[in-house]
Each structure stands twice: as C-alpha cells, then as structure tokens.
Amino acid sequence: MRFSNVVVFAAMVVLVSVAGCAARRSGVKVSSAESGLIGPRWQLVELNGKPVPATVNGKMPYLEFSEEGNRYGSTGGCNGVGGEYELSENNGIKFGKGMSTMMYCDDMSIENGLKQLFEQVDSYRIAEGSLTLSKGKGAALAKFVALKDQSAGMAGTWELDYVMEPGVSFESLYADRKPTINFDTSTKKVNGNSSCNNFSGTFSLDGNDIHFGPLMSTKMGCPGNGEQVFFKNLEKVNHVDVQEDVLTMIMGDIVVMRWKRK
C-alpha cells in the first residue's frame, strides 16, 4: 500500500471513530437526581401558549418525577397519567407512553393537551423555579412552576372562600360567618374558627405536604352543617399551595379548600 493511501485510510479510521463516539455520546443517559426535576411537584401554568387555571374539574394540573424506575405522574384535571421517562445529554427528555385512568370529566381540554405534549416534547429547561418543556428549538409547549416549602407564605390569618361539598352552595353553609385559620409557622401551631367553634392544634410541613395534628375545639352547639363540612375536609388535606394572597388546600390532586388572606 502506498504511503498516500495509508494516510487516507488512517484519516478515514479516525473520522469513523470520532463519528461513532459522537453517536454514542448523544445517546448517553443522564441521572435523574442531577437533572433538577426530582423533588417538587410541578404545577402546570401554561400549555401551548395559553394560561392554565389553578384548578380544572376541581383538580390542580401537575407533573412530578420519581427517580425510582424513572417514572412520571401527572393529571390535566381529570385522569391520572403515568409512565416512564428518559433523560439524555443537553437537557434531552423523552416521555414513554403512559397508562391512564378512564374517567370522563366536563373539561378534558388540558388532559388531552398534556397527552399530546408528552408525545412531542424532546427537551426541558429549569430556571428560577420554573420548568419549560419544548420540542427542538421551537417555542415552549408547556410551562410549570415548582411547589416548594410553603411556610413563609402561610403565616397569618386566612378566610375560607371555597370548600368541597357537592350539591351544597358555599353561601348556604356559611351564611352568617366564614371559617378562619391562622398559622404560626415558627411554632407550627394553628388556630381559628370553624364558623361556630374555635379550634387549635399543631401542623407539620414538608415542602408542600401538610399534616394537621389533633385539633381541639370548643363545644358550642352550631346550626346547620357548616362546621361538620369544615372539619371533614380539613382532615382530608395533605398538600398546600400558596400563591400571593390565595392558599389552596389539596387532597392528592383535588382541591378541597381555598382561602383568602385577611
């Protein structure tokens, strides 16, 4: 073999080797723990350039990631959708086709939009507590905000303006007096009024997960079912979200109580 041919052959070997390495690098999987996706529950706030309400069919639309099994879970306000996801270099992400429950709800638009989103998305970006999902270098397909430790925003007194009780209006339950609740985040103590009796107790907070300790209340007789509905729903709460002057209490992904700051 002539020297010139040897040089050409060697150069081709090098090019093929580099191309092969590049191809292998592009398929490198990225640790979920290092991605920034794990930890918070991500509330959906924008989909296809349009704002998403805080609740759809009484549920908060969200997306969350688990490092175990590289699984994701979500809801668009009706059914729960979950499956596997895969990360790659340069903030690449791919959602596997997920399993879903089969309920029908009045508003399916956000849920259907999320399903289409998971089929299209191939990249993500996290900045200042926000998660953006996109396709290629195009415009954002969806935006989410992280629900983190809510303690700083919870402190103070709140007045109830929504409670989950199908078939009964809020106004009829609390025609004379609306329930109030006050959080002392430094001592993790809570007190308030159920619309009739005063109550007090403790609470624990981990991120946006909240649990109330035993609550004690006075024993005055109360007309109507307002107090019973209040305590029944308060016992269900396991998540909380504070956005400026609105505090939302959630059971799983269902909004059960909403409060306004007094």
Side-chain angles (χ1 to χ4, degrees):
M1 183 180 291
R2 294 181 180 179
F3 177 75
S4 60
N5 290 338
V6 172
V7 172
V8 171
F9 177 76
M12 291 176 64
V13 171
V14 170
L15 287 173
V16 171
S17 176
V18 170
C21 289
R24 286 193 295 271
R25 281 198 300 269
S26 65
V28 171
K29 294 182 180 180
V30 177
S31 168
S32 297
E34 299 172 355
S35 67
L37 295 168
I38 306 297
R41 172 172 286 192
W42 299 93
Q43 180 183 359
L44 180 64
V45 294
E46 185 179 304
L47 185 62
N48 296 321
K50 298 180 180 180
V52 174
T55 61
V56 178
N57 303 312
K59 299 182 179 181
M60 179 184 70
Y62 72 87
L63 172 64
E64 60 185 352
F65 298 86
S66 172
E67 186 176 8
E68 184 177 354
N70 271 24
R71 298 195 63 82
Y72 71 91
S74 70
T75 181
C78 185
N79 291 286
V81 179
E84 296 182 351
Y85 67 95
E86 182 178 306
L87 303 179
S88 56
E89 288 186 317
N90 301 318
N91 285 30
I93 188 169
K94 180 180 180 181
F95 290 90
K97 189 172 183 180
M99 300 293 291
S100 174
T101 53
M102 302 297 290
M103 292 188 301
Y104 174 80
C105 301
D106 291 336
D107 186 351
M108 303 287 286
S109 60
I110 303 301
E111 177 169 318
N112 292 333
L114 271 181
K115 290 179 180 178
Q116 295 174 7
L117 171 76
F118 295 143
E119 295 174 357
Q120 300 176 49
V121 164
D122 60 15
S123 64
Y124 73 95
R125 182 172 63 89
I126 297 176
E128 298 179 351
S130 296
L131 166 66
T132 302
L133 298 180
S134 306
K135 181 178 181 181
K137 297 182 180 180
L141 297 178
K143 294 181 179 179
F144 302 78
V145 294
L147 300 179
K148 296 184 178 179
D149 189 343
Q150 303 292 308
S151 61
M154 284 175 56
T157 302
W158 304 81
E159 184 176 74
L160 191 69
D161 80 339
Y162 167 80
V163 66
M164 183 178 68
E165 184 66 11
V168 181
S169 70
F170 181 82
E171 290 74 17
S172 65
L173 286 171
Y174 307 111
D176 298 324
R177 184 178 185 179
K178 295 180 181 179
T180 58
I181 193 167
N182 178 77
F183 292 95
D184 185 335
T185 55
S186 62
T187 62
K188 295 295 188 293
K189 291 184 178 180
V190 62
N191 63 77
N193 185 276
S194 66
S195 75
C196 179
N197 283 288
N198 294 324
F199 68 90
S200 62
T202 60
F203 70 96
S204 61
L205 193 65
D206 180 11
N208 71 320
D209 293 343
I210 189 169
H211 297 281
F212 291 96
L215 298 177
M216 300 178 292
S217 73
T218 54
K219 300 297 183 182
M220 183 171 63
C222 307
N225 296 323
E227 180 174 78
Q228 180 182 351
V229 170
F230 173 80
F231 283 121
K232 177 184 70 175
N233 280 279
L234 196 62
E235 290 175 358
K236 297 177 181 178
V237 171
N238 54 21
H239 299 295
V240 65
D241 175 47
V242 181
Q243 300 291 334
E244 297 182 353
D245 291 334
V246 177
L247 185 152
T248 306
M249 292 184 175
I250 304 162
M251 175 187 66
D253 55 11
I254 301 173
V255 174
V256 294
M257 307 176 91
R258 186 176 60 239
W259 307 76
K260 289 187 177 180
R261 189 180 295 279
K262 287 197 70 175

